[in-house]
Amino acid sequence: MPLFEHHVFVCHNIRPEGAPRPSCTADGKSELHTQLQQLSKAAGLGNTVRINKSGCLDQCEHGPTVVVYPEAVWYGHVKPEDAAEIVQEHLVNGRPVERLRLPDACINTKSCPHRG
């Protein structure tokens, strides 16, 4: 099996109702994950891209959150309808989708302006 060129993690964390931070998926189904998987396979990336559900990525205020490695590109507020653009632009063409990209200042920090 060839090495993966990209590894994509899609936050699938579910928090209880009333939790102080939001959930990336409320229903546990993650249509976003399914769309990314199906579209990457349709693009012929089945052997070079791995799409995984992940637990909490600690970017709850930006959710649903997706991170793509090895570039460590973080995407926030991703909707299922954004999946085609991520697959085509980032995974096929190698260009991150800037409109969905989280600012570096919001990753791994407690002082992000989006956190309450």
Side-chain angles (χ1 to χ4, degrees):
M1 177 182 281
L3 296 175
F4 293 120
E5 293 176 15
H6 290 98
H7 208 131
V8 181
F9 294 93
V10 182
C11 183
H12 200 257
N13 194 48
I14 303 170
R15 294 186 184 278
E17 193 170 322
R21 295 180 78 190
S23 295
C24 280
T25 181
D27 60 8
K29 294 179 186 170
S30 189
E31 183 183 341
L32 173 59
H33 175 265
T34 302
Q35 285 292 313
L36 286 165
Q37 272 191 326
Q38 290 174 350
L39 291 165
S40 66
K41 286 179 185 174
L45 303 175
N47 291 329
T48 60
V49 172
R50 177 78 179 155
I51 311 287
N52 278 96
K53 293 177 184 175
S54 78
C56 183
L57 295 170
D58 199 28
Q59 299 300 314
C60 310
E61 290 76 12
H62 306 116
T65 305
V66 174
V67 61
V68 180
Y69 287 105
E71 300 98 326
V73 171
W74 289 78
Y75 293 119
H77 307 287
V78 183
K79 299 176 184 133
E81 53 269 24
D82 297 320
E85 188 175 5
I86 291 172
V87 170
Q88 186 60 46
E89 288 303 309
H90 191 149
L91 302 180
V92 172
N93 295 327
R95 295 184 300 256
V97 180
E98 294 301 325
R99 71 177 184 83
L100 296 172
R101 200 168 186 175
L102 289 175
D104 289 344
C106 287
I107 300 169
N108 293 330
T109 180
K110 300 260 185 227
S111 62
C112 174
H114 304 102
R115 292 184 184 215

